[in-house]
Amino acid sequence: MASIERIADIFVDAQDASINHKSLTKRLRRVEAQNENNRSRFEEQVKACAIRCLEVTKSEKAGQNTIKFLCSYCAATQNQEHESEEEDGTNITNQIMVVLLPYMSVKDKVIRYRATQIVSQLMGIVQEIEDELYQAIRHELGKRVRDKVPAIRLEAVCALGRLLENEMDEEAQAAEKERDEDEEMLDEDEEPESTGLLDKLLNVLQNDTNAEVRRALLLNLPIEPKTLPYLLERARDKDAGDFRHLSLSMREKLLRWGLRDRDERVRKAAVKMFATMWIEQIARTLQQTDADQEETLPKLKKGEYYKADTVALVELLERIDILNAGQDDGVGLEAMKEFWSLRPDYFRVVSFEDSFWTDLSAESAFMARSFYDYCSKNPNAQRQAEDDQKFPEVTRFGFHLQRELNRALELRGSVEEEVEEETLAEQDFIAEQLLHIAHTLDYTDEIGRRKMHGLLRQMLSVPDLPDEITRLAIETLRLTCTSDVAGEKEFIFVVQEAIAEVHDSLNDNEDEEQDNGTNREQSPADDESFVSAHSELSTRSDATARRKPSKLDKKLAKMTPEEQEDYQLRTLLVQLKCLNIAHTMLQNITSDFSTNVSLETMLNTLIIPAIQSREAPLRERAIECLGLACLLSPSLAHDNHEMFVYCMKKGHEELRMQCLKILCDCAVTHNKDGGLDLKPFVEAFGYSAEVQLCATTCIAKLMMCGFYKPALKTAEGGEEQEQEGEGDEAVEVFENAIEEATQCGTRGCELLAKVKAALVADAQGKGQVEGDRRQS
């Protein structure tokens, strides 16, 4: 009996999201196997759960998820029956349809719709069905094609389309058998007699007032001599197209191409398409479900919209796959920015009560994130949102954020059940959206600031926290600290504490002596002092050959090969995690390394040993961190210039481009007074096309940042004279680099020529103005 009671709990879990249905189906199948001797009781419980779905309105996503799960379970039983040649699967599916048949004719349109929907979907699953039940279902579906609710008619014609295919096959077999027995052949121009079901569906295709119903029949009717004229007639249907007919990739492309087009008229049309046409089609469908008849819907005047409904907005975001479109390179934020601007009715109706935060989906979380992002960039919108109390209290929001972060970690640490990647991705996405929202909050409330500060500090020390969530958490942590020097020191101290705790997670299972002996990154150069990264890279092989076995070597010697591989992988992941935290921290500070001892310590104990590591991912990430550190310290940039040049020459393609960008950024930041060295960029012309393009782009950037100063020409005495200055040598260096790129046919050389021409024209224009003034 206890296992029987678990059936309802399984259906409750199924209504939350469809991505867990596979594991829930397995659970329900296990319960079914455990109650083989009490099968009738099990089937009654399943049918009771199916009946409970009938009261759920179409707009409720939970109802759709539960029906999907029910069909998934029935499909699994069908497959089991087919493999084992048993009849249990057919029985339970048939019994559910028998129970639902009376509900297809009730007065309540919601129950009528759900019953028709479930039967329609089960008809696509069932492999065998009793003739009496088949005729009863066919009769009820035939009545539903004349239902006053379009959504019910749509489900009915989809189910009848499946039955039509079976009946036409049976008719063809019967005709063939009759021809064999009687040896009678039809004339070439004579058509076989059609079934009554086909005539009924053709009549619906001609006369139904709903475009969705007509389109469903176009997709389900077979192309035959009798149906072809009707199908061609519908091909000239003037009903406006619904964007939901497009594939998911086409919707995303249409939106992305439109919003990012160079023509302003195209961008405006794309905004109108998204914020009016698409959302209104969904809103109309939702209100049409609530109306008794399609004709009872209000007839809108030009410029009027259907009643704003956040359910419609959430569905719109789901229709464009916001889980992918909402990423940094996606089009989701661009679209929603225009949406909130163009649709103030939705801006007013959206609400963020506690119930909203406790039941988040990827779409609702992104909706909230886009709303607060829009408010943060529009003072008027922010004032209106604050007046309507739409901004959450920071302390309360901290608890919501903590709950979602804990859910993400629980899913990653779950060992009892197999967690699908989609579930992890959705939960991570929700946590990311809440952290984006945290960027827009006001931390003048000290209690809320402390709550967020402590939460983020605690989460940063968790090694399993995904990298993107870690990055957003560090950026939010910086906002919870004051913007002055003291606040930055506090921020650096907290982040470095988190790095130490993440690294110490490697030694959780070791004794105190081992823990003390491995409290910093293990690398081949642990026992040697750091002179420069370049010198260490050039002598690493000799030093490695001479050094004595370390404690790490002794520990690995005691392990099996599998344990060694597992430990080394875990070590690599933890070290990468530490570098990722350090990388994000360096992006959010302005302190010079020479004035902050803790930063210098992190450089010597974390970044430099990782550069000296044998592991390529560690070296590459550490070089990025060192590049950020060099931007903060002129002396550090000068000391490591040769190291970046060395890595550019000896590294692979990605590392070469990374080092070129670092050299360029360091030059822009620290070499304002001259002394620019373009040799590494010119040498890069001899590598791959991607590296060449990176080098020419960096040179163009340096030229536009003021390093290339062509001599001004002034008009004195009616003749143009060239002004000589101190920049002649720098100009010559750039001229030689441009000439070298042109001669070698380097990718991107056209860019250098265009930048040079623009800068020369600009300089000449300024010089001509000065000359005219002096002449006058």
Side-chain angles (χ1 to χ4, degrees):
M1 183 64 68
S3 59
I4 287 289
E5 296 174 352
R6 289 164 46 197
I7 296 175
D9 296 334
I10 295 175
F11 274 85
V12 169
D13 294 338
Q15 70 183 358
D16 293 335
S18 60
I19 53 180
N20 295 325
H21 286 179
K22 185 176 180 180
S23 60
L24 292 175
T25 300
K26 294 179 181 179
R27 285 175 55 189
L28 188 55
R29 292 287 293 168
R30 287 197 296 267
V31 174
E32 179 183 3
Q34 293 169 5
N35 292 271
E36 189 64 33
N37 298 329
N38 193 17
R39 186 167 187 81
S40 60
R41 172 65 174 164
F42 171 82
E43 292 173 351
E44 289 297 327
Q45 289 292 322
V46 174
K47 288 186 286 186
C49 292
I51 293 174
R52 290 294 299 272
C53 300
L54 301 181
E55 300 178 349
V56 184
T57 61
K58 183 183 177 183
S59 59
E60 288 291 338
K61 193 174 180 179
Q64 186 66 26
N65 289 337
T66 307
I67 294 173
K68 285 182 180 179
F69 169 69
L70 179 64
C71 294
S72 175
Y73 163 71
C74 290
T77 59
Q78 291 289 310
N79 295 335
Q80 179 71 20
E81 176 218 357
H82 182 71
E83 294 175 1
S84 60
E85 299 183 356
E86 295 178 357
E87 297 184 356
D88 294 341
T90 302
N91 285 338
I92 185 64
T93 308
N94 290 350
Q95 288 180 36
I96 293 174
M97 290 192 290
V98 169
V99 169
L100 295 180
L101 274 179
Y103 294 99
M104 294 173 65
S105 302
V106 299
K107 186 177 180 180
D108 192 315
K109 61 184 178 182
V110 175
I111 297 177
R112 204 164 63 245
Y113 165 74
R114 287 299 187 189
T116 307
Q117 181 189 30
I118 297 174
V119 171
S120 174
Q121 296 191 19
L122 290 180
M123 287 300 296
I125 294 173
V126 68
Q127 298 176 358
E128 296 181 4
I129 188 172
E130 298 176 357
D131 184 66
E132 184 178 352
L133 176 59
Y134 177 87
Q135 294 299 331
I137 293 175
R138 185 182 185 277
H139 176 70
E140 287 297 331
L141 290 174
K143 293 193 296 184
R144 297 282 67 77
V145 297
R146 298 187 299 272
D147 198 282
K148 58 185 178 181
V149 179
I152 298 177
R153 301 201 300 270
L154 176 61
E155 295 294 341
V157 298
C158 289
L160 289 175
R162 301 186 184 101
L163 300 183
L164 177 65
E165 182 179 355
N166 296 331
E167 290 193 6
M168 294 185 71
D169 290 341
E170 293 176 0
E171 184 185 64
Q173 293 174 4
E176 184 178 354
K177 182 178 180 181
E178 183 179 352
R179 287 195 299 268
D180 293 341
E181 292 177 353
D182 301 337
E183 296 182 353
E184 296 178 358
M185 299 294 294
L186 292 172
D187 296 335
E188 185 177 353
D189 297 333
E190 184 180 357
E191 297 177 2
E193 183 181 357
S194 176
T195 65
L197 179 58
L198 178 58
D199 291 333
K200 181 178 294 186
L201 292 180
L202 289 176
N203 181 62
V204 174
L205 178 64
Q206 277 190 306
N207 301 301
D208 197 284
T209 58
N210 186 267
E212 285 285 342
V213 175
R214 300 196 299 271
R215 181 179 180 276
L217 284 172
L218 282 174
L219 297 176
N220 284 279
L221 288 178
I223 301 177
E224 293 191 346
K226 180 169 184 175
T227 62
L228 188 58
Y230 297 92
L231 299 178
L232 292 177
E233 180 185 0
R234 280 298 101 195
R236 303 176 63 184
D237 201 327
K238 296 183 180 180
D239 191 271
D242 194 316
F243 84 103
R244 289 169 288 190
H245 299 166
L246 300 174
S247 65
L248 186 60
S249 61
M250 285 302 299
R251 293 176 212 155
E252 193 273 338
K253 288 179 181 177
L254 190 62
L255 194 58
R256 174 161 47 86
W257 291 343
L259 291 177
R260 296 178 179 177
D261 195 273
R262 289 179 292 180
D263 193 330
E264 184 179 359
R265 293 172 297 178
V266 176
R267 295 196 298 270
K268 288 183 178 179
V271 171
K272 183 178 179 181
M273 173 189 69
F274 178 77
T276 59
M277 293 176 57
W278 288 8
I279 188 68
E280 288 302 292
Q281 288 171 356
I282 297 175
R284 175 183 173 84
T285 302
L286 294 177
Q287 295 188 31
Q288 185 173 298
T289 305
D290 296 335
D292 289 338
Q293 297 182 3
E294 183 181 4
E295 290 74 19
T296 61
L297 287 175
K299 189 174 182 180
L300 301 180
K301 298 179 181 179
K302 186 176 181 180
E304 290 184 342
Y305 301 123
Y306 289 101
K307 182 180 178 181
D309 188 351
T310 54
V311 175
L313 181 54
V314 169
E315 182 177 342
L316 175 61
L317 294 175
E318 184 180 3
R319 295 281 184 179
I320 63 172
D321 187 19
I322 203 61
L323 200 62
N324 294 313
Q327 303 296 339
D328 290 342
D329 57 344
V331 76
L333 273 181
E334 300 173 41
M336 288 305 297
K337 174 185 176 183
E338 302 296 340
F339 180 89
W340 294 120
S341 177
L342 194 62
R343 297 300 301 266
D345 52 338
Y346 275 87
F347 187 93
R348 291 190 297 268
V349 78
V350 72
S351 178
F352 303 107
E353 304 294 337
D354 284 344
S355 57
F356 172 86
W357 299 108
T358 55
D359 189 22
L360 285 174
S361 64
E363 293 77 22
S364 61
F366 183 83
M367 178 186 70
R369 180 261 178 103
S370 65
F371 177 87
Y372 291 117
D373 187 71
Y374 174 76
C375 291
S376 65
K377 297 176 182 177
N378 295 270
N380 292 335
Q382 183 163 0
R383 282 194 295 269
Q384 181 180 348
E386 290 174 349
D387 292 341
D388 296 339
Q389 297 181 351
K390 295 183 185 292
F391 273 83
E393 182 184 349
V394 178
T395 304
R396 192 178 296 272
F397 180 81
F399 286 104
H400 297 314
L401 175 60
Q402 184 176 14
R403 181 183 61 252
E404 298 302 330
L405 289 172
N406 287 336
R407 284 179 181 175
L409 292 175
E410 287 172 3
L411 288 176
R412 291 192 177 307
S414 177
V415 294
E416 296 181 359
E417 294 184 6
E418 203 175 304
V419 180
E420 298 183 3
E421 291 185 5
E422 293 183 7
T423 307
L424 288 174
E426 181 175 4
Q427 187 57 46
D428 290 348
F429 183 81
I430 293 173
E432 291 169 12
Q433 302 315 300
L434 294 190
L435 286 169
H436 279 294
I437 295 173
H439 289 175
T440 66
L441 300 181
D442 183 8
Y443 293 102
T444 55
D445 174 17
E446 183 61 21
I447 297 178
R449 187 197 72 82
R450 289 182 180 179
K451 168 62 182 176
M452 290 293 293
H453 185 88
L455 169 63
L456 297 170
R457 164 65 185 85
Q458 181 183 4
M459 298 308 297
L460 284 180
S461 61
V462 180
D464 294 334
L465 201 66
D467 290 340
E468 181 63 16
I469 295 180
T470 301
R471 181 184 69 82
L472 294 171
I474 294 174
E475 292 176 354
T476 309
L477 179 65
R478 182 65 188 92
L479 296 174
T480 63
C481 302
T482 57
S483 58
D484 54 11
V485 176
E488 183 164 292
K489 287 184 177 180
E490 178 191 9
F491 169 69
I492 293 172
F493 176 76
V494 171
V495 174
Q496 288 185 330
E497 271 192 338
I499 292 175
E501 292 183 18
V502 170
H503 180 265
D504 288 345
S505 64
L506 279 174
N507 307 314
D508 286 343
N509 297 327
E510 301 294 331
D511 56 59
E512 183 176 357
E513 180 182 354
Q514 290 174 319
D515 184 57
N516 293 333
T518 56
N519 59 359
R520 70 181 186 92
E521 316 301 323
Q522 295 290 345
S523 72
D526 272 345
D527 299 328
E528 301 179 19
S529 59
F530 171 74
V531 178
S532 70
H534 171 53
S535 62
E536 181 59 33
L537 284 171
S538 61
T539 61
R540 180 163 52 85
S541 59
D542 296 336
T544 303
R546 293 193 303 268
R547 70 183 180 88
K548 298 179 180 180
S550 64
K551 293 180 179 179
L552 177 60
D553 296 329
K554 297 177 182 178
K555 180 193 299 184
L556 292 175
K558 298 178 181 179
M559 298 180 181
T560 63
E562 293 78 10
E563 291 175 340
Q564 290 180 9
E565 183 178 357
D566 180 69
Y567 180 82
Q568 291 172 349
L569 177 60
R570 187 156 45 90
T571 302
L572 174 62
L573 293 177
V574 169
Q575 291 176 336
L576 276 175
K577 179 71 175 181
C578 294
L579 287 172
N580 288 335
I581 296 175
H583 183 273
T584 306
M585 183 194 72
L586 292 172
Q587 289 178 321
N588 289 274
I589 62 174
T590 58
S591 299
D592 192 333
F593 270 62
S594 60
T595 62
N596 194 310
V597 178
S598 60
L599 288 177
E600 188 173 355
T601 302
M602 183 186 71
L603 176 70
N604 292 328
T605 60
L606 176 63
I607 299 176
I608 298 303
I611 292 177
Q612 299 165 350
S613 171
R614 296 187 182 94
E615 302 293 342
L618 285 181
R619 290 200 307 269
E620 294 167 14
R621 197 58 168 168
I623 286 176
E624 288 185 18
C625 293
L626 182 60
L628 291 172
C630 290
L631 294 180
L632 299 173
S633 174
S635 60
L636 196 60
H638 178 269
D639 293 340
N640 288 279
H641 177 82
E642 292 299 324
M643 193 271 299
F644 291 125
V645 174
Y646 178 84
C647 291
M648 193 279 296
K649 294 179 180 179
K650 301 297 183 181
H652 54 77
E653 183 177 283
E654 292 293 332
L655 184 58
R656 283 171 176 162
M657 291 190 292
Q658 181 180 328
C659 290
L660 287 173
K661 293 176 183 178
I662 292 173
L663 290 171
C664 177
D665 291 341
C666 288
V668 172
T669 305
H670 303 306
N671 291 6
K672 290 293 185 181
D673 298 332
L676 187 63
D677 181 15
L678 291 185
K679 290 181 181 179
F681 303 99
V682 175
E683 290 179 1
F685 294 164
Y687 299 119
S688 67
E690 294 297 326
V691 177
Q692 292 175 9
L693 180 60
C694 181
T696 53
T697 303
C698 289
I699 294 175
K701 180 179 179 180
L702 292 171
M703 293 173 68
M704 298 183 70
C705 286
F707 290 94
Y708 180 77
K709 299 179 181 178
L712 298 179
K713 293 183 178 180
T714 60
E716 293 184 0
E719 298 181 358
E720 290 188 348
Q721 297 179 353
E722 187 173 345
Q723 282 187 342
E724 296 184 359
E726 297 179 356
D728 290 347
E729 184 177 350
V731 170
E732 185 178 356
V733 171
F734 279 102
E735 296 283 359
N736 293 337
I738 296 173
E739 183 179 357
E740 179 74 16
T742 305
Q743 290 178 353
C744 298
T746 304
R747 186 179 178 185
C749 59
E750 302 88 355
L751 174 64
L752 294 178
K754 291 179 181 179
V755 172
K756 174 187 173 182
L759 293 175
V760 170
D762 183 64
Q764 288 178 345
K766 293 179 180 178
Q768 186 66 39
V769 171
E770 294 176 3
D772 289 343
R773 288 177 178 174
R774 286 192 293 270
Q775 200 172 22
S776 60

